[in-house]
Amino acid sequence: MIKKSVFAKFTPLLAVSLLALAACAGPAESSDEPPLDSGPGMGVEETPGDAMPIEGIEGTWLYADGSDPSGALTLDDAVTVTLTITGDGLAGESTCNNYSATLAGAPDELTVGPVISTKRACTDAALTDFETRYLAALAATSTAIPTGGSLVLQGNGVNLNFLPSSSLPLG
């Protein structure tokens, strides 16, 4: 009878000890976590040093407003200027031409490569002026700030504000 009561006292302690050991043993063999040798910049297709997407700013954006060292960059509401950021580049449609450039770094230290564009002539001098200043402002961008659904690009005297393309009215 004594053996049974001693065993009964230590059974809960033994059970707790076994649970603690099981918890310390680590994860089970199948885990949802990726292996250590995978992820951006690793593996057969990607090697360390490859360009990686810039988190938080990828997508298609619509120019809302902004400024450059010459002042406000205003645009008629009837004209849509887009910016698409994917992987290591940016592209879009300005007032008269399509444009593109390379993009590297992190959002707080961006490097925008030379901005190239098609060479269509604008029909309006104000559109030509806006486009020239806008493309120069993009090239001067050194910081991207995603803020609650919008994107702000900043650089030396440059502040460009964008809204997500989903903010376009339907119709």
Side-chain angles (χ1 to χ4, degrees):
M1 192 82 164
I2 292 178
K3 282 188 176 183
K4 189 174 182 184
S5 66
V6 170
F7 183 70
K9 283 184 177 181
F10 289 108
T11 300
L13 181 60
L14 180 61
V16 169
S17 297
L18 287 174
L19 285 174
L21 283 173
C24 291
E29 297 229 359
S30 67
S31 172
D32 290 338
E33 293 184 29
L36 292 177
D37 62 345
S38 69
M42 302 299 282
V44 175
E45 294 178 22
E46 295 181 289
T47 58
D50 283 349
M52 295 190 310
I54 298 173
E55 298 293 324
I57 66 172
E58 288 191 341
T60 300
W61 303 93
L62 302 173
Y63 178 79
D65 60 31
S67 61
D68 67 0
S70 297
L73 276 166
T74 56
L75 188 60
D76 184 335
D77 288 340
V79 180
T80 301
V81 173
T82 64
L83 169 69
T84 301
I85 300 174
T86 57
D88 58 354
L90 61 83
E93 293 181 28
S94 186
T95 53
C96 304
N97 291 284
N98 297 330
Y99 65 89
S100 65
T102 58
L103 188 62
D108 60 344
E109 292 182 14
L110 285 181
T111 300
V112 177
V115 178
I116 58 172
S117 70
T118 55
K119 302 295 180 193
R120 291 188 299 255
C122 288
T123 57
D124 183 312
L127 295 178
T128 300
D129 181 57
F130 174 88
E131 183 171 273
T132 301
R133 291 175 56 202
Y134 170 76
L135 296 178
L138 275 178
T141 298
S142 59
T143 303
I145 306 164
T147 59
S150 66
L151 176 67
V152 178
L153 299 180
Q154 295 178 334
N156 189 13
V158 170
N159 190 63
L160 303 174
N161 300 303
F162 295 87
L163 298 173
S165 64
S166 61
S167 65
L168 269 178
L170 299 175

